[in-house]
Amino acid sequence: MSKKQFITNLQSLAGIRNWSAFALSYKHLTHKSEYTCCALSFASESDLNETISAVLQSIAAAAECFEDIIEYGGEATTTFRCSLSSSHEIVKEKFNSFVECINHPDDTRSVLDFPSNAYLFRGELDEKAIYIIILHTPVYTFKKKKMFAFEQNQLKPVEGRFIQLVANPSLLIYHDTIYFLDSKLSGEKFFNIETTARTMCKSLISSLKGEDLCSNFDLLSEVATTGWNVRRSVNFNQPMWDQLKEDTDFRRTIAKRLEIPLTADGRIATGDKEACTRLFKGLCGKAVRDLVKDLTYEAPVTKPL
């Protein structure tokens, strides 16, 4: 989806008048795929709408700072923002658990007693849910710092716990599309993407094992399941891998462009980590060709002309 369409969708949210708010808790390290929430009730609808308006303005202002929307590829970039279908295997289970949680909030506890580490706003447009998610706890206490109210020209300490709603969301879920709104992809943690990507990557590599394409598959496997390559694997090009196996001319061309030698028996020489990294990045759409210099470079994003 393009930035232009993103802006259009964002503008359409201004007409929503049935927003609701929730405090949210998730701990993927100990409770995988589990979310709990409780309602955040505003004293007046106008206060809620004003808060939503500020959040939407924040998203619109941030949109001026990036060039376009690209498909999620597991890497953060300052010039682009990413989107991902909520039905994608890497988030589907977590997304469904999240929606189930919002549909069945915990109404037995006060938000001040709820162990929240995020909050969200939910609206509805064209009979489909819209979610704006902020990855900050809304409940603040001042145990080590003092907060003062200024009354009658004097500072008076204010005690207790407070609700603070900031206007810097990490995720916007518009119908069936998840938008990562910041350059650090902080929304990945909300859906525990790294853990799911690692499982998927190991499964992918396991499915390729035994195919006599590379001289050292074990080393390729090690490189593929390390660091950012784990997330990059979501864009693994299976047809390209299959063609490399079946078409020796294509294999020779790709090996030359990636500056990886072939062995005497025609396999891709993956005897060192640099060669493995080049091959895996190429298979995950990170290789871009310079039309003038006839060289291949790694690109932070790969976006068609």
Side-chain angles (χ1 to χ4, degrees):
M1 181 177 291
S2 67
K3 176 179 176 179
K4 182 178 180 180
Q5 184 61 53
F6 173 77
I7 296 297
T8 300
N9 292 346
L10 184 61
Q11 292 171 343
S12 70
L13 303 186
I16 297 177
R17 287 293 178 268
N18 60 342
W19 291 101
S20 53
F22 300 87
L24 190 70
S25 176
Y26 63 97
K27 295 180 181 179
H28 293 310
L29 289 178
T30 55
H31 299 77
K32 296 181 179 179
S33 302
E34 182 177 313
Y35 302 85
T36 54
C37 71
C38 72
L40 279 172
S41 298
F42 281 70
S44 71
E45 185 176 344
S46 62
D47 289 339
L48 174 57
N49 288 334
E50 286 178 12
T51 303
I52 293 293
S53 179
V55 171
L56 294 179
Q57 289 175 20
S58 173
I59 298 175
E64 298 298 325
C65 301
F66 63 81
E67 293 182 18
D68 211 342
I69 303 287
I70 59 172
E71 184 179 358
Y72 175 82
E75 262 181 290
T77 168
T78 57
T79 54
F80 293 84
R81 294 296 179 268
C82 302
S83 67
L84 184 66
S85 170
S86 60
S87 62
H88 193 291
E89 185 180 356
I90 203 168
V91 294
K92 183 178 180 180
E93 180 183 356
K94 305 293 188 302
F95 178 78
N96 290 338
S97 296
F98 160 71
V99 172
E100 181 69 13
C101 155
I102 301 303
N103 290 337
H104 299 89
D106 182 352
D107 57 3
T108 64
R109 287 187 286 182
S110 162
V111 65
L112 293 178
D113 299 321
F114 187 78
S116 57
N117 52 1
Y119 60 97
L120 66 101
F121 301 100
R122 181 190 186 279
E124 191 172 294
L125 183 67
D126 299 330
E127 299 183 352
K128 289 190 175 182
I130 306 293
Y131 304 98
I132 302 174
I133 302 170
I134 296 94
L135 302 183
H136 296 279
T137 177
V139 181
Y140 281 79
T141 58
F142 299 91
K143 294 180 179 179
K144 296 182 179 180
K145 296 181 180 180
K146 286 286 187 179
M147 174 175 273
F148 295 88
F150 190 68
E151 298 176 2
Q152 299 176 346
N153 292 326
Q154 291 182 323
L155 293 176
K156 296 183 178 181
V158 179
E159 305 293 339
R161 291 175 292 175
F162 301 86
I163 303 298
Q164 182 179 17
L165 304 181
V166 297
N168 56 336
S170 298
L171 293 162
L172 168 64
I173 304 175
Y174 184 95
H175 292 177
D176 300 321
T177 301
I178 300 170
Y179 293 101
F180 297 85
L181 299 178
D182 61 60
S183 60
K184 297 180 180 180
L185 292 176
S186 59
E188 285 184 324
K189 295 180 181 179
F190 184 75
F191 289 114
N192 201 21
I193 283 180
E194 181 177 2
T195 299
T196 307
R198 189 171 300 281
T199 300
M200 291 174 56
C201 184
K202 289 180 178 179
S203 177
L204 166 68
I205 296 303
S206 178
S207 72
L208 304 177
K209 191 172 184 178
E211 298 176 352
D212 200 24
L213 175 60
C214 305
S215 63
N216 190 337
F217 184 84
D218 288 340
L219 185 58
L220 177 64
S221 174
E222 178 185 337
V223 169
T225 54
T226 303
W228 281 103
N229 285 332
V230 172
R231 292 179 176 87
R232 292 186 184 114
S233 66
V234 301
N235 286 334
F236 184 81
N237 191 332
Q238 185 67 48
M240 180 179 175
W241 173 271
D242 294 338
Q243 189 172 357
L244 285 171
K245 289 190 303 177
E246 299 165 4
D247 188 335
T248 55
D249 290 336
F250 179 72
R251 186 188 311 166
R252 191 177 299 110
T253 298
I254 294 300
K256 181 180 179 181
R257 289 179 177 176
L258 294 176
E259 299 181 16
I260 304 173
L262 296 178
T263 61
D265 58 358
R267 292 182 296 167
I268 300 175
T270 52
D272 61 79
K273 288 188 176 181
E274 182 179 354
C276 292
T277 300
R278 285 174 175 270
L279 175 59
F280 196 72
K281 286 182 177 180
L283 285 163
C284 296
K286 303 304 296 181
V288 177
R289 195 72 175 168
D290 187 313
L291 299 178
V292 177
K293 298 180 180 180
D294 196 32
L295 295 172
T296 301
Y297 296 97
E298 177 186 353
V301 295
T302 50
K303 180 177 177 291
L305 294 175

